[in-house]
Amino acid sequence: MEFKSVNKLLEKSFAENWDLPALSNYQGARLSYATVAERVEHIHICYRECGLEKGDKVALCARNQTNWAISFIATLTYGAVPVPILHEFKPGNIHYLVNHSESKVLFVDESIWEGLSESEMPGLSAVVQMNTLKFIWSSDPALIQVRANLSRMFRERHPDGFRPEDMNYYEDSPEELALLNYTSGTSGFSKGVMIPYRALYANMKFAGWAEPHLGAGSDIVAMLPSAHMYGLMFEFLFQMTIGSHVHFLTRVPSPKVITTACEEVKPDLIISVPLVLEKLYKTRLKDELDRNRILLKLPVLDKVVLQRMRSALMNAFGGKFEEVIIGGAALNPEVERLLRRLGFPFTVGYGMTECAPIITYDKWNANKPCSCGKAIPSCEIRIDSPDPQNVPGEVQVRGDNLFLGYYRNEDATERAFTGDGWFRTGDMGVMDKDGYLYLKGRLKCMILGPSGQNIYPEELESVINNIDYVVDCLVVSRNGEIVALVYPDYHRAGLGGMNGRQVDEFITEAVNRANEEFPNYAHIKRVEFMPEDFERTPKRNIKRYLYQK
């Protein structure tokens, strides 16, 4: 792969799109590329005056917002290393990650800072409030003066105003560390993924190839956490290199908030996780299916009903997008079947933080049912199985999108790679003769049946999650038995006149009927009901390790 400097791509985009809108908080003020570049320059001056060196780490811990994006770009283009930290992490985790990453500066929301302590992070030189970009704390009073005199220093350097030719961003190299991104998966232990500029560029090049309709003036609603690689790359960073306008959702991105924003912004592309479409299916589409069950069996009339449902779903996302790309977890098969029947333009991809993040993808009108696509350009996949088309094996990857290793964790890095240099994803899957990947589940989650059969709990969960009044479920092994942990929607059932006991009985009977779809060795022996929702990652996946006793 021919490499181009990521920072120079940003510099070129800013210059070419100087007067176009770049960033905004949803329903807030729009910042042009010129304004973003000027604010980046302010931070660069501050970094230089405060003695921050190339390669130093800068942590960012805040909700999605324009200043998060500006701080990230300023750090990257200065030659320092951004360390995005998910704002949902508890204070103890944030302290640990700031220290483990050896960050010198912390950008943080004021509400998060209230639970933190500078004494717990002795390596920090300064803490900056994200929404104002003003110092909250500094180890040296002189640094406070730098911030106080920043406007004056900016005017002295740029007496005639800041112009495109004044930008001179750090020129990166392929194997150089670009950012440190800590995993937020379901295993419970965060690892610092060292992502090189090569991997960022490989993902950007893929995005340009996959979505050639995007460019200057395109709109996107950033609903995923920017601190997570999926949202960071495809809802923000790539867009900044092509002149798009990113609208950050600063509120908790519930399906209602998302669809309201999309109806107003009318984005050109939707990046989503399965939970959004699955909730829309349960709250909007499933009832309409039930109401029109007879009509859907009649020729001509079925097309009228399906077209009406498709139009409603298209309008819910603004109606202007070319496709919805789903990643982060598997899409429920029943939801996928309906979306395909509607002709809804969606596709399911697959990625990991370690691949910055994309591994597989195919266009919505080409991808095969239940597949997550084919390997992207500059990436290879193999299945560690004697029969990769029929017998599931670990998905292993190599390519330009691959990470350098785990920060300050040589053992984990060594375990992550095979002897011949392929990355072990920990996911199980098969691959057909055309190169389409079909995931089965996580290797760590696989349950061994009584006679050595492989049971993939995710496959059982997808069936149980289609049962009425089931919000979500988790299938685990307890004392040799397969148990379904179920979080029911008691509120919705109550609106229909059912009490808690009746809901539990209804779901238990439905699970028993679902067992008929499973082989005998995979039967659910018991259902346990959760009084509250499962603890989740920022991608809304269940933290499995908390429930696997």
Side-chain angles (χ1 to χ4, degrees):
M1 176 188 70
E2 179 189 358
F3 176 79
K4 292 183 180 178
S5 164
V6 170
N7 288 325
K8 291 300 180 182
L9 286 176
L10 288 168
E11 182 182 309
K12 182 172 182 287
S13 174
F14 283 23
E16 291 177 349
N17 302 292
W18 198 247
D19 296 319
L20 290 180
L23 302 170
S24 61
N25 294 330
Y26 171 56
Q27 295 185 328
R30 295 182 175 187
L31 304 182
S32 68
Y33 277 88
T35 301
V36 172
E38 186 173 307
R39 294 187 183 183
V40 165
E41 175 65 8
H42 275 88
I43 296 176
H44 282 182
I45 292 171
C46 197
Y47 280 170
R48 285 193 292 270
E49 293 296 321
C50 292
L52 192 76
E53 297 182 358
K54 313 298 183 189
D56 281 346
K57 315 297 190 305
V58 175
L60 300 91
C61 185
R63 289 186 178 276
N64 283 12
Q65 57 190 281
T66 55
N67 277 351
W68 191 100
I70 290 167
S71 303
F72 182 94
I73 292 171
T75 303
L76 195 71
T77 55
Y78 182 79
V81 178
V83 183
I85 297 176
L86 290 154
H87 71 275
E88 290 96 339
F89 281 157
K90 291 180 171 58
N93 289 341
I94 296 172
H95 288 150
Y96 170 79
L97 296 179
V98 169
N99 293 332
H100 184 269
S101 64
E102 301 175 300
S103 292
K104 299 289 182 65
V105 179
L106 169 64
F107 288 83
V108 64
D109 274 340
E110 187 176 18
S111 59
I112 297 172
W113 176 246
E114 289 174 359
L116 304 178
S117 170
E118 66 272 14
S119 64
E120 295 290 333
M121 299 174 285
L124 283 179
S125 297
V127 178
V128 183
Q129 186 174 322
M130 185 65 84
N131 68 322
T132 63
L133 296 181
K134 293 181 178 179
F135 281 28
I136 298 176
W137 172 87
S138 171
S139 61
D140 183 353
L143 300 185
I144 301 293
Q145 289 303 309
V146 170
R147 179 64 182 85
N149 295 321
L150 187 56
S151 295
R152 177 182 56 79
M153 288 187 286
F154 180 86
R155 289 193 300 272
E156 289 174 353
R157 284 172 169 78
H158 307 287
D160 299 321
F162 193 70
R163 298 164 299 183
E165 56 267 29
D166 294 326
M167 291 185 294
N168 185 23
Y169 291 164
Y170 174 76
E171 186 164 0
D172 46 277
S173 57
E175 297 302 318
E176 187 177 357
L177 178 63
L179 68 113
L180 194 56
N181 201 219
Y182 282 87
T183 58
S184 61
T186 59
S187 64
F189 177 67
S190 294
K191 298 189 290 289
V193 180
M194 296 190 292
I195 296 174
Y197 279 98
R198 156 181 49 77
L200 295 185
Y201 180 69
N203 274 264
M204 289 175 176
K205 191 171 183 180
F206 151 75
W209 165 79
E211 307 294 338
H213 66 289
L214 297 180
S218 296
D219 290 284
I220 192 159
V221 173
M223 63 184 82
L224 303 174
S226 293
H228 190 276
M229 206 62 225
Y230 184 28
L232 189 157
M233 177 55 70
F234 298 126
E235 289 185 333
F236 157 58
L237 192 55
F238 166 68
Q239 279 70 21
M240 291 294 95
T241 67
I242 60 172
S244 296
H245 180 190
V246 177
H247 305 254
F248 285 109
L249 289 185
T250 55
R251 297 171 56 191
V252 176
S254 67
K256 184 175 182 181
V257 169
I258 290 168
T259 54
T260 299
C262 288
E263 287 168 358
E264 181 177 329
V265 173
K266 295 179 171 40
D268 295 276
L269 176 71
I270 306 288
I271 304 293
S272 182
V273 292
L275 187 65
V276 174
L277 283 168
E278 288 168 2
K279 280 199 171 182
L280 287 174
Y281 168 76
K282 285 191 174 183
T283 58
R284 299 190 187 186
L285 301 180
K286 200 169 190 296
D287 287 344
E288 186 156 359
L289 283 174
D290 292 338
R291 285 195 303 270
N292 295 282
R293 199 165 295 281
I294 295 176
L295 294 179
L296 287 168
K297 294 179 181 179
L298 301 175
V300 182
L301 290 178
D302 66 330
K303 291 182 172 59
V304 173
V305 173
L306 292 173
Q307 181 58 41
R308 185 172 69 239
M309 294 174 67
R310 183 185 188 276
S311 296
L313 196 55
M314 293 290 290
N315 291 335
F317 287 107
K320 186 184 170 190
F321 62 96
E322 184 163 304
E323 68 178 357
V324 176
I325 301 177
I326 301 169
L331 180 64
N332 185 290
E334 183 173 311
V335 177
E336 178 170 349
R337 283 193 293 271
L338 175 62
L339 294 178
R340 286 187 176 278
R341 189 178 178 189
L342 295 178
F344 185 72
F346 79 99
T347 190
V348 178
Y350 165 57
M352 298 185 73
T353 302
E354 287 86 348
C355 293
I358 198 71
I359 297 173
T360 64
Y361 162 88
D362 202 6
K363 204 72 179 172
W364 74 271
N365 53 5
N367 206 358
K368 294 185 179 182
C370 300
S371 167
C372 53
K374 299 187 287 187
I376 67 165
S378 79
C379 175
E380 297 176 82
I381 297 175
R382 73 181 183 187
I383 306 295
D384 186 18
S385 164
D387 184 2
Q389 290 188 34
N390 301 293
V391 179
E394 184 181 40
V395 179
Q396 298 178 350
V397 178
R398 71 177 179 186
D400 293 326
N401 56 335
L402 211 56
F403 72 132
L404 299 170
Y406 297 112
Y407 190 62
R408 299 172 61 191
N409 195 336
E410 293 182 6
D411 290 342
T413 300
E414 186 174 351
R415 290 194 302 271
F417 291 89
T418 64
D420 56 350
W422 291 71
F423 170 56
R424 305 177 187 270
T425 66
D427 289 314
M428 301 291 285
V430 294
M431 190 161 58
D432 70 14
K433 59 182 177 60
D434 298 317
Y436 285 89
L437 180 66
Y438 300 81
L439 294 175
K440 296 297 182 180
R442 291 289 292 168
L443 180 60
K444 290 179 180 179
C445 299
M446 188 180 73
I447 298 170
L448 203 62
S451 299
Q453 307 96 331
N454 292 341
I455 303 169
Y456 298 99
E458 293 93 338
E459 294 182 342
L460 309 184
E461 291 159 5
S462 68
V463 175
I464 296 171
N465 279 332
N466 289 328
I467 295 172
D468 209 6
Y469 305 123
V470 172
V471 176
D472 211 342
C473 79
L474 196 66
V475 172
V476 298
S477 178
R478 297 272 173 84
N479 300 318
E481 291 185 338
I482 299 177
V483 178
L485 309 180
V486 174
Y487 174 51
D489 192 341
Y490 290 117
H491 174 72
R492 188 167 71 88
L495 295 176
M498 296 176 70
N499 60 37
R501 179 181 58 78
Q502 291 171 322
V503 176
D504 292 353
E505 289 176 354
F506 174 87
I507 292 174
T508 300
E509 290 173 5
V511 170
N512 290 335
R513 288 194 299 272
N515 272 331
E516 298 173 7
E517 302 180 36
F518 309 146
N520 289 336
Y521 61 80
H523 278 189
I524 306 293
K525 300 297 184 183
R526 191 169 75 256
V527 179
E528 294 181 7
F529 294 96
M530 309 294 292
E532 56 188 23
D533 196 4
F534 298 94
E535 286 200 39
R536 299 175 181 273
T537 70
K539 286 194 300 179
R540 306 307 297 159
N541 294 334
I542 297 172
K543 294 183 177 180
R544 287 182 176 269
Y545 69 96
L546 295 177
Y547 304 94
Q548 293 172 324
K549 299 178 181 177

